[in-house]
Amino acid sequence: MSHDLPPLNALRAFEATARLNSVSQAAEQLHVTHGAVSRQLKVLEEHLGVALFIKDGRGLKLTDAGIRLRDASAEAFERLRTVCAELTQSTADAPFVLGCSGSLLARWFIPRLGRLNADLPDLRLHLSAGEGDLDPRRPGLDALLVFAEPPWPADMQVYELASERIGPVMSPRFAGFERLQQAPASALLTEPLLHTTSRPQAWPSWAQQSGLDAKALKYGQGFEHLYYLLEAAVAGLGVAIAPEPLVAEDLKAGRLVAPWGFSETPAQLALWLPKRAADGRARQLAQWLKNELRQAD
């Protein structure tokens, strides 16, 4: 006789049949056919080598072995239901911790946080800012919102939200504003450009997309993070390069202008979470983010 546990589906079919005292009701509860339950009961009896039911008129009656297994399986499945309910409730009660860069958080997410809370009132969202050091594989973080280029990590569930679009921006307060606002993009080749060490390829990528020689670019003041770069641009310190969503509010308010428009890059704004930690809240958040980005176009 095998000492391995019987197939789980067979045990589920038996537990439901014994508890409801009906194959038909068990089939209805398990969302399968009457025949499927009957086959699972036969599999279970063959595995155990004992009869669990005997015919009793038009119905079934548990044998002594069936009664023993009913009591044991009822206790085990009830315990499983209780623990699963506790785990589900624990997950639902815990905040969903989302990591993203400080610039994305401050310039795009926070201005929309009130709308997100109104649209998804059951989503307890906790935001964690960082620059290049956030990894949803580590404890304490459920997902990551990030601009990145495929291919995606094999161990990540990735929701692609929108293609990245970048472009040069400057403030009307900038001393060179009048000279540059009507000039072609090539005028930026002689301009000392504001840049950031966190995105060193931003300017070269834009130049390539614009048909310009990236090697001819000249760089001025540098900043460690994009947030500081954009604050410098708003302050009128020069021309910066930025993803379109992060300057959308500044463009609407006239704090920045984008005379040369925005070019699409190979990168995507995407929501990442480990495949081993699939969470329905991530799918819900991804859909909201995608809708929000679409409305902004």
Side-chain angles (χ1 to χ4, degrees), residues 99-133:
C100 63
S101 69
S103 53
L104 184 57
L105 175 61
R107 290 190 155 268
W108 193 86
F109 217 114
I110 287 178
R112 291 162 176 80
L113 196 52
R115 190 153 58 241
L116 184 148
N117 290 335
D119 292 342
L120 302 177
D122 294 331
L123 178 65
R124 292 184 56 211
L125 188 66
H126 178 81
L127 297 165
S128 178
E131 300 292 342
D133 58 347

Side-chain angles (χ1 to χ4, degrees), residues 13 18 23 52 96 111 124 126 137 141 163 175 182 187 190 209 221-223 228 288 292:
V23 173
L52 300 171
F96 186 83
R124 292 184 56 211
H126 178 81
R137 301 176 184 88
L141 201 65
S163 297
Q182 300 298 330
T190 59
Q209 293 287 334
Q221 179 70 52
F223 298 87
Y228 305 130
W288 186 90
E292 191 70 18

Side-chain angles (χ1 to χ4, degrees), residues 47-268:
H47 181 93
L48 296 173
V50 296
L52 300 171
F53 294 96
I54 57 174
K55 289 188 178 295
D56 184 22
R58 300 182 62 182
L60 294 175
K61 180 180 179 180
L62 285 166
T63 64
D64 290 342
I67 291 172
R68 289 181 61 192
L69 186 59
R70 177 199 63 189
D71 295 343
S73 63
E75 181 179 351
F77 275 95
E78 183 58 32
R79 178 60 180 155
L80 283 171
R81 292 187 188 98
T82 300
V83 171
C84 288
E86 290 172 353
L87 291 174
T88 301
Q89 187 61 43
S90 175
T91 300
D93 290 343
F96 186 83
V97 183
L98 175 67
C100 63
S101 69
S103 53
L104 184 57
L105 175 61
R107 290 190 155 268
W108 193 86
F109 217 114
I110 287 178
R112 291 162 176 80
L113 196 52
R115 190 153 58 241
L116 184 148
N117 290 335
D119 292 342
L120 302 177
D122 294 331
L123 178 65
R124 292 184 56 211
L125 188 66
H126 178 81
L127 297 165
S128 178
E131 300 292 342
D133 58 347
L134 296 172
D135 189 338
R137 301 176 184 88
R138 298 176 184 171
L141 201 65
D142 294 306
L144 178 66
L145 184 64
V146 62
F147 285 107
E149 293 185 20
W152 309 122
D155 60 343
M156 287 288 165
Q157 170 71 54
V158 177
Y159 295 93
E160 296 182 4
L161 305 175
S163 297
E164 182 187 47
R165 288 164 50 83
I166 61 171
V169 294
M170 61 181 176
S171 167
R173 301 164 59 187
F174 175 46
F177 179 78
E178 295 295 335
R179 171 173 51 86
L180 290 173
Q181 66 170 332
Q182 300 298 330
S186 58
L188 294 181
L189 293 178
T190 59
E191 191 71 23
L193 304 169
L194 303 179
H195 61 100
T196 173
T197 55
S198 64
R199 292 291 300 275
Q201 291 303 311
W203 274 117
S205 177
W206 171 82
Q208 185 177 12
Q209 293 287 334
S210 302
L212 303 176
D213 181 7
K215 295 180 180 179
L217 293 168
K218 297 181 179 180
Y219 297 104
Q221 179 70 52
F223 298 87
E224 185 177 1
H225 301 306
L226 182 59
Y227 178 80
Y228 305 130
L229 173 75
L230 297 180
E231 288 298 302
V234 171
L237 299 184
V239 183
I241 188 84
E244 187 176 14
L246 271 61
V247 293
E249 298 300 319
D250 295 298
L251 295 174
K252 288 179 183 178
R255 291 187 293 269
L256 292 173
V257 295
W260 305 280
F262 295 86
S263 302
E264 192 168 298
T265 78
Q268 289 272 335

